[in-house]
Amino acid sequence: MQSSTEHRRKMNNPSKQNEISNRHNNRDGWYLLFGSWLIASLAALGSLFLEKGLGIEPCALCWYQRIFMYPLVLILLTGLLPLDRRVTRYALPLAFFGWITAFYHLLMYVGIVPESLQPCGSGPSCVQDDLGVFGFVNIPMLSLLSFSVVIGLLLVFMQRTKQ
């Protein structure tokens, strides 16, 4: 059994404190990365449910947003097991460009972007009101929110797991 003096000496050791701090940062980082993965997974499953379950056909911009969201599910999962801080190199650009696409889609949806700049040709309209929850939440807004949360969690993850 250690004496209290010996225990204090070990705890005052800078290398021991760094080890404890790194362990806490890794645990916090894992939870942040898991949260990012969970949001990306729910967004991907939600988009599939809207299409296959409710029969809402995705527009051109919805497909682009899926192109950015679906790989995030796999990339973030590979960064979790084992925890790899470098996963942000791949995940952040995807999330950022997905966010830009979702933001543009939302601007189109609310009528800020004129029809001449809308990429939707044949197929479903990018401004069609297929899903409205509480009267103001729509598909582009849900996508933008998902990408925003993923980006936010990844930025906090990078800050907390600095080496």
Side-chain angles (χ1 to χ4, degrees):
M1 191 155 164
Q2 295 179 344
S3 70
S4 62
T5 311
E6 201 174 311
H7 178 70
R8 269 185 267 144
R9 192 175 335 118
K10 282 185 178 180
M11 293 310 290
N12 288 334
N13 183 351
S15 65
K16 189 70 168 175
Q17 287 177 345
N18 285 340
E19 180 183 327
I20 292 169
S21 176
N22 286 340
R23 228 180 297 146
H24 288 295
N25 288 343
N26 283 341
R27 186 189 68 215
D28 292 347
W30 192 90
Y31 287 127
L32 289 165
L33 201 57
F34 178 77
S36 297
W37 172 81
L38 187 63
I39 295 296
S41 297
L42 290 174
L45 290 173
S47 71
L48 290 173
F49 174 74
L50 290 173
E51 181 183 3
K52 304 298 182 188
L54 299 180
I56 299 173
E57 288 296 318
C59 68
L61 284 175
C62 289
W63 277 111
Y64 292 132
Q65 290 166 66
R66 287 178 179 198
I67 289 169
F68 294 116
M69 185 62 76
Y70 288 6
L72 277 175
V73 175
L74 296 174
I75 290 169
L76 293 170
L77 184 62
T78 58
L80 276 172
L81 306 168
L83 183 65
D84 185 1
R85 186 178 185 281
R86 295 173 299 172
V87 72
T88 57
R89 291 180 188 174
Y90 310 106
L92 267 176
L94 280 172
F96 175 74
F97 288 113
W99 187 91
I100 294 291
T101 307
F103 185 67
Y104 185 74
H105 193 182
L106 184 62
L107 291 177
M108 283 177 43
Y109 185 84
V110 297
I112 294 174
V113 175
E115 277 188 49
S116 61
L117 296 176
Q118 295 180 5
C120 300
S122 62
S125 169
C126 290
V127 295
Q128 181 177 328
D129 189 16
D130 286 333
L131 178 68
V133 182
F134 305 121
F136 67 92
V137 178
N138 50 56
I139 294 172
M141 188 181 292
L142 289 173
S143 179
L144 184 66
L145 180 64
S146 298
F147 281 115
S148 297
V149 171
V150 167
I151 289 169
L153 289 172
L154 288 174
L155 290 174
V156 173
F157 169 76
M158 285 177 59
Q159 187 70 9
R160 294 256 174 100
T161 58
K162 279 185 179 176
Q163 306 229 339

